Amino acid sequence: MELKEPLRVIVSGGGTGGHIFPAVSIATAIKAEYPDAEILFVGAEGRMEMQRVPAAGYKIIGLPIAGFDRKNLLKNVVVLYKIAKSQWKARKIIKEFRPHVVVGVGGYASGPTLKTAGQMGIPTLIQEQNSYAGVTNKLLAKSAKKICVAYDGMERFFPAEKIIKTGNPVRQNLLDAKVTKAEATESFGLDPKKRTVLVIGGSLGARTVNESILQHIEDIRGAKDVQFIWQTGKYYSEEIHMALAKEDPVQNMKVTDFISNMDNAYAAADLVISRAGASSISELCLLKKPCILVPSPNVAEDHQTKNALALSTKGAAIFVKDSDARNELIPLALKTVVDDAQLASLSENVGKLAYHDSAKKIADEVVKLAVEQMA
């Protein structure tokens, strides 16, 4: 598509890897088509995106935004001040950068950035990752030109004429990985002849999933043909290492607070235990990985449970409630990972739900809006 001038795009949002990875993927897809495009990220001060986005090679500016405190209502006086300050700062950023389009991927910063862009007459695009839309995106949808979604039935939340089903972008290096299962397993110091369970609770960790493992250490130790790769998350790393130090070493388990080479981890895994964040689910679908999903109960509108049910009702995942996980999760994983027929069925069904080239599809919609804005 011919452009009258170099493309300028603001991408706003973050807070978790689940928002940041898609944001960076969309930016990279835009740059692949239009190398001279200028892309500016707007995030929330002190949040994960302020490190992750520059590491991916993009400039980011932080807003002093924070979420509402539902437990201590008095603290929200400060929150309201921060929202007002963030809207003022967003207006200044937009005036100076003069974007053709503003993209919101969810997270605190996307609210003031997209609201302000809409008020200034700049077209906005929302990328809603979950099967259940959050409050902020439902409000922003009123002024958005396009809404890119990953699940059916999203017209419950958004105007049907604005919806485009694109799927969720995932980290490109996962799709480009060429490592064999044996090489990947050996890279973690494990035995390529054994079945491998990968446990990921997100970059920050998942308390219930971690406690489930600690509660069943003896079951894991006794599983002769099964081994575990366990990402504890940085929040829980210290207490878990202290707990494990009191036990005899568990030879069939690799424990780490963070896995940087997720392509190897997925390649090694016969079964994945995961939270049910939208980004993780999209990766599991594209990689056709059999999985047990344990939705976090601590997220807005309980959207992880709805994400998990969207898969489990189609035979594409096994669903374990957070409240049942401590007793059920590890025995179920040990049983499932050696069941060839169930693994094959889960893999086939989860693969059917994959969306390919999501980042490029969203990038194309961004460019279409920019062309209209330039006209």
Side-chain angles (χ1 to χ4, degrees), residues 23-76:
V24 170
S25 297
I26 294 165
T28 303
I30 293 169
K31 291 288 273 186
E33 293 285 322
Y34 300 93
D36 61 347
E38 291 181 60
I39 298 172
L40 175 66
F41 281 73
V42 176
E45 289 173 359
R47 303 289 288 188
M48 195 191 289
E49 58 266 27
M50 300 309 291
Q51 282 79 45
R52 293 282 175 88
V53 169
Y58 294 99
K59 185 184 175 187
I60 187 167
I61 299 174
L63 301 180
I65 188 79
F68 280 103
D69 191 321
R70 293 188 172 107
K71 291 175 185 164
N72 188 340
L73 295 178
L74 281 175
K75 284 187 180 173
N76 290 327

Side-chain angles (χ1 to χ4, degrees), residues 9 18 80 156 240 242 310 347 353 373:
V9 180
L80 288 168
R156 289 177 297 157
I240 284 165
M242 284 169 65
S347 176
L353 303 178
Q373 186 71 356

Side-chain angles (χ1 to χ4, degrees), residues 9-15 19-20 22-24 26-27 30 39-45 49-50 53 59-63 65 86 90 93-94 99 101-117 124-129 136-137 140 366:
V9 180
I10 285 178
V11 182
S12 186
H19 292 311
I20 298 162
V24 170
I26 294 165
I30 293 169
I39 298 172
L40 175 66
F41 281 73
V42 176
E45 289 173 359
E49 58 266 27
M50 300 309 291
V53 169
K59 185 184 175 187
I60 187 167
I61 299 174
L63 301 180
I65 188 79
S86 294
I93 292 165
I94 291 166
V101 188
V102 176
V103 178
V105 295
Y108 295 143
S110 65
T113 309
L114 268 75
K115 183 183 176 189
T116 304
T124 60
L125 178 147
I126 294 169
Q127 200 255 323
E128 172 56 68
Q129 291 130 25
T136 304
N137 274 354
L140 294 171
V366 171

Side-chain angles (χ1 to χ4, degrees), residues 334-353:
L334 290 169
K335 181 170 153 241
T336 304
V337 77
V338 294
D339 185 335
D340 290 347
Q342 189 171 20
L343 291 179
S345 173
L346 286 167
S347 176
E348 184 184 347
N349 291 335
V350 81
K352 287 175 187 169
L353 303 178

Side-chain angles (χ1 to χ4, degrees), residues 197-200 209 271-276 284 289-295 308 316-321 325 328-337 342-343 346:
V197 179
L198 169 64
V199 184
I200 42 175
V209 174
L271 177 69
V272 180
I273 294 172
S274 175
R275 286 303 202 190
L284 293 166
K289 283 292 163 185
C291 58
I292 300 176
L293 299 175
V294 186
I318 297 169
F319 172 39
V320 173
K321 283 172 69 174
E328 296 177 11
L329 180 59
I330 298 307
L332 181 60
L334 290 169
K335 181 170 153 241
T336 304
V337 77
Q342 189 171 20
L343 291 179
L346 286 167

